[in-house]
Amino acid sequence: MAYSGPFQPGDKVQLTDPKRRHFTFELTPGAHFHTHKGMIAHDEIIGSDEGSVVTSTMGTDFLCFRHLMVDHVLSMPRGAAVIYPKDTGQILVEGDIFSGARVLEAGAGSGALSMALLRAVGEKGHVFSYELREDHLSFAIDNVTEYFGQQPEHWSPRLGDFGEVTPEDLGGPVDRVILDMVEPWHFLETVKNVLIPGGVFMTYVATVPQLMNIMEGIRAQQCFTEPRAWETLLREWRVEGLATRPEHRMNAHTAFLVMTRRLADGVTPPRPQRKARR
């Protein structure tokens, strides 16, 4: 699948009609796409540039663009809830997911974060994705394979208990660890063992009790920096002249993100000094 340039067979094209409805399909020579507004021949799209307009047999114009990762994530089959793009972006930047990094994630869920991590680390990096449930891992493998066109060689999806993972299982310690599970505070010893000194540990939890437990658990380990927690709220705006206003609906709370870094062996964190309450 090409990511830029003229459309090629095998690319996923997303058509947008005048009412901003999306239709996505894979381009196949000789095939036709049928809509309630008429038929469109795939051959009319193949070879054209992104941003072109194709007209159906009933005279309706459709904009043609490639299917983006965000489109794939929000429309793909799910075995578990996905990490939404607004949080994925925070994980990639706050977690400093760099090209060539070795990243361990658990659990894999439906593969949404796996895809973003694989693109960020590139072919010189590696992503290990652990999942306890076989059905969820199957969804992740199918979704990632469909997006990339094949299962990436720098990806190791594994069925198993993250609590039993050792550095030897990974070919050595990793640069980053990201947990998306119900009780991540039970696995902090494992995180310590597989993460390099200075490595970033991030976790994704949905509720306030979970947030409190993971924060206190990290502090109790005495081998991580003072953890930082936040949530990301996203609100779109409708811009129509004098009627410009925020949308009535927004993507508000999805989860809390927690970030910390592993200290060197034998080092304990300095005691944080907080301002006295008046």
Side-chain angles (χ1 to χ4, degrees):
M1 182 179 67
Y3 292 103
S4 61
F7 286 110
Q8 302 174 17
D11 287 351
K12 279 202 169 182
V13 60
Q14 180 173 269
L15 302 185
T16 305
D17 71 7
K19 292 186 177 181
R20 298 181 181 178
R21 290 174 294 198
H22 298 313
F23 306 88
T24 303
F25 55 90
E26 185 174 312
L27 291 173
T28 304
H32 294 82
F33 179 69
H34 297 267
T35 78
H36 64 293
K37 292 295 185 178
M39 182 179 66
I40 298 170
H42 290 207
D43 291 337
E44 293 185 30
I45 301 174
I46 295 174
S48 63
D49 291 321
E50 286 194 78
S52 298
V53 173
V54 63
T55 304
S56 71
T57 53
M58 293 177 61
T60 300
D61 291 334
F62 292 82
L63 276 172
C64 303
F65 285 97
R66 275 188 176 83
H67 188 70
L68 300 178
M69 178 183 287
V70 63
D71 302 313
H72 184 70
V73 166
L74 296 179
S75 63
M76 68 188 188
R78 303 177 187 180
V82 300
I83 294 181
Y84 277 81
K86 71 183 182 70
D87 296 316
T88 297
Q90 292 281 305
I91 291 172
L92 294 180
V93 175
E94 296 282 353
D96 191 36
I97 309 300
F98 58 90
S99 176
R102 287 165 43 82
V103 181
L104 170 61
E105 66 160 340
S110 297
L113 181 61
S114 304
M115 290 185 289
L117 293 174
L118 287 164
R119 283 184 52 170
V121 304
E123 295 181 358
K124 293 183 179 180
H126 203 93
V127 176
F128 302 89
S129 301
Y130 277 82
E131 175 56 55
L132 194 59
R133 291 183 49 170
E134 187 173 1
D135 55 338
H136 286 181
L137 185 64
S138 179
F139 272 105
I141 293 174
D142 289 345
N143 288 328
V144 171
T145 300
E146 181 182 359
Y147 179 75
F148 288 102
Q150 61 182 7
Q151 185 171 316
E153 294 183 0
H154 60 298
W155 185 42
S156 297
R158 297 177 177 178
L159 181 66
D161 186 348
F162 172 69
E164 300 176 357
V165 177
T166 66
E168 291 71 27
D169 297 327
L170 309 171
V174 296
D175 302 297
R176 306 288 184 262
V177 174
I178 303 166
L179 300 186
D180 175 15
M181 54 179 61
V182 177
E183 298 179 331
W185 51 89
H186 291 317
F187 303 96
L188 294 175
E189 187 70 25
T190 302
V191 174
K192 171 189 173 182
N193 293 336
V194 301
L195 188 61
I196 65 169
V200 177
F201 166 46
M202 294 191 69
T203 186
Y204 180 90
V205 292
T207 69
V208 171
Q210 286 176 306
L211 175 63
M212 295 167 61
N213 284 335
I214 187 61
M215 293 286 284
E216 293 306 319
I218 289 172
R219 289 168 179 153
Q221 283 289 316
Q222 290 288 292
C223 64
F224 296 102
T225 59
E226 175 65 12
R228 184 167 63 92
W230 72 96
E231 65 175 336
T232 303
L233 310 178
L234 176 66
R235 181 173 69 179
E236 295 190 5
W237 279 65
R238 182 181 297 274
V239 181
E240 297 176 351
L242 295 178
T244 296
R245 56 175 173 76
E247 291 283 5
H248 295 305
R249 296 181 179 180
M250 65 180 291
N251 291 322
H253 176 77
T254 48
F256 299 104
L257 290 171
V258 178
M259 179 266 195
T260 184
R261 301 186 70 177
R262 187 191 186 285
L263 300 175
D265 292 336
V267 175
T268 57
R271 184 175 181 179
Q273 296 184 2
R274 298 178 174 88
K275 293 183 178 179
R277 294 181 179 178
R278 294 183 179 180

